[in-house]
Amino acid sequence: MNNESLLIERLKKLSPSLEWTTEKSELLEYGKDWTKIYSPDPVAIVFPRSTSQVSQILKLCTELKYPVVPSGGRTG
């Protein structure tokens, strides 16, 4: 199993209420930078609803050595 597959499998197990996506169109939309200079290439987009979920996601990404780019309301 490659690292991307492992990340997805582990995300599925974190919490039944955790929302996330690997849908290509959503990866492009949510992954883009406001400058439009950089092309997004996220493995997944995750929508945590609690600090506990944020903590679990960060621990998982640290363990698997995946970078995390946080995004808030994306309004400024």
Side-chain angles (χ1 to χ4, degrees), residues 13-26:
K13 294 177 184 177
L14 278 184
S15 170
S17 65
L18 180 64
E19 293 182 45
W20 57 277
T21 184
T22 56
E23 184 69 39
K24 192 68 171 171
S25 63
E26 291 180 332

Side-chain angles (χ1 to χ4, degrees), residues 3-67:
N3 236 15
E4 285 185 18
S5 298
L6 182 58
L7 176 66
I8 300 307
E9 285 302 311
R10 298 277 300 276
L11 278 173
K12 288 178 185 177
K13 294 177 184 177
L14 278 184
S15 170
S17 65
L18 180 64
E19 293 182 45
W20 57 277
T21 184
T22 56
E23 184 69 39
K24 192 68 171 171
S25 63
E26 291 180 332
L27 294 179
L28 290 172
E29 177 62 29
Y30 286 104
K32 67 182 159 183
D33 179 81
W34 69 272
T35 65
K36 312 275 191 283
I37 295 171
Y38 304 102
S39 297
D41 193 23
V43 172
I45 304 293
V46 185
F47 306 95
R49 300 281 183 211
S50 68
T51 54
S52 175
Q53 286 182 340
V54 171
S55 178
Q56 291 174 325
I57 294 162
L58 292 176
K59 285 179 186 175
L60 173 60
C61 290
T62 298
E63 177 186 330
L64 298 179
K65 297 184 179 11
Y66 268 95

